[in-house]
Amino acid sequence: MAIRLLPRDERFFELFNALAQHAVDGARHLAELFSRRDPQRWQLVQTISGLERAADEVTRELVE
């Protein structure tokens, strides 16, 4: 029985990289959110939420 290490769909790597980029962007915005004290910092919450939704969509595509 051979174990397949590489995915069959070449798009896997594109999607995996996109998911990683969403995680990096979200972490960067989260660090900025924690370091700021001005009222506009809560706009970062919306940005982070949008990144989370985008990452969820990429995850769905990866699973398919």
Side-chain angles (χ1 to χ4, degrees), residues 2 7 12 14 36 42 44 51 54:
F12 172 84
E14 174 189 326
R36 291 176 55 179
W42 295 109
L44 290 168
L51 287 167

Side-chain angles (χ1 to χ4, degrees), residues 4-19:
R4 188 170 177 83
L5 295 177
L6 295 175
R8 292 183 183 152
D9 187 349
E10 290 297 320
R11 201 156 167 252
F12 172 84
F13 295 107
E14 174 189 326
L15 293 170
F16 191 79
N17 284 335
L19 187 58

Side-chain angles (χ1 to χ4, degrees), residues 11-53:
R11 201 156 167 252
F12 172 84
F13 295 107
E14 174 189 326
L15 293 170
F16 191 79
N17 284 335
L19 187 58
Q21 188 60 56
H22 288 313
V24 168
D25 292 344
R28 189 180 76 245
H29 289 302
L30 186 62
E32 183 180 350
L33 174 66
F34 290 150
S35 69
R36 291 176 55 179
R37 297 289 178 240
D38 59 289
Q40 287 77 24
R41 74 182 187 271
W42 295 109
Q43 292 174 346
L44 290 168
V45 172
Q46 292 177 336
T47 300
I48 293 166
S49 182
L51 287 167
E52 181 182 11
R53 283 190 301 277

